Amino acid sequence: MFPQKLRELRKEKRLTAKQFGEKFTLAESTISGYETGARTPDMETIEKFANFFEVSVDYLMGRTDARSTTSKSGSNHNVDPEIIELLDKLQKKGAALEATAILRTASKMNKEQLKDILKVFEMIETEKKDGN
């Protein structure tokens, strides 16, 4: 869902992938990878994109149809910080384990599911360190 939302929002702003990438010091090919689903940005980048488009991270990730529930201060109230933290941890562990497909799926999970997936990654890392 993220790739489609990103492309849709970029086109609404009438930006090419190159122009959009330049705003974040990212290559056109990186933006293209995000929009095709071939690449997955980290949570910090996703948050920057959401802020740029003035939508919630949940909207950008396809978890809600509500574009934004921002206050006048501009903070997103419907983004659970624990979910962002868990997704960020999964991103870091997934990169080490080359599990980008799981990360794309993880963005649609609830907190308990994310915690379970994180435990699985930690078990895999432990087994790799132990040589099993």
Side-chain angles (χ1 to χ4, degrees):
M1 192 53 116
F2 169 78
Q4 295 87 357
K5 293 283 187 186
L6 182 63
R7 175 172 282 163
E8 170 189 310
L9 290 167
R10 176 183 58 78
K11 287 185 174 188
E12 281 180 16
K13 292 262 190 191
R14 295 190 168 107
L15 294 170
T16 65
K18 182 177 181 177
Q19 291 168 328
F20 180 63
E22 287 172 351
K23 294 188 177 296
F24 297 92
T25 320
L26 296 170
E28 179 180 4
S29 60
T30 300
I31 300 301
S32 177
Y34 294 160
E35 291 183 354
T36 63
R39 299 182 76 163
T40 305
D42 59 25
M43 283 308 298
E44 182 180 338
T45 302
I46 291 171
E47 289 173 355
K48 287 177 183 177
F49 290 166
N51 288 335
F52 175 79
F53 292 119
E54 298 178 340
V55 298
S56 69
V57 170
D58 284 343
Y59 176 80
L60 190 56
M61 299 304 291
R63 294 188 292 244
T64 182
D65 290 333
R67 281 187 168 234
S68 183
T69 56
T70 58
S71 67
K72 290 181 182 176
S73 68
S75 63
N76 289 327
H77 291 288
N78 64 340
V79 179
D80 185 330
E82 189 176 0
I83 286 180
I84 290 173
E85 180 182 342
L86 289 167
L87 285 170
D88 194 44
K89 285 180 182 177
L90 281 173
Q91 176 75 27
K92 288 175 182 158
K93 291 191 180 296
L97 299 169
E98 300 177 5
T100 56
I102 292 172
L103 290 171
R104 278 188 229 115
T105 303
S107 67
K108 299 173 186 142
M109 295 179 178
N110 65 37
K111 274 192 271 191
E112 294 309 312
Q113 291 168 321
L114 289 171
K115 288 177 183 177
D116 290 343
I117 294 293
L118 194 55
K119 287 177 190 172
V120 170
F121 278 137
E122 289 167 353
M123 288 182 348
I124 292 169
E125 283 182 332
T126 301
E127 287 180 10
K128 281 188 170 187
K129 287 177 186 172
D130 293 343
N132 295 333

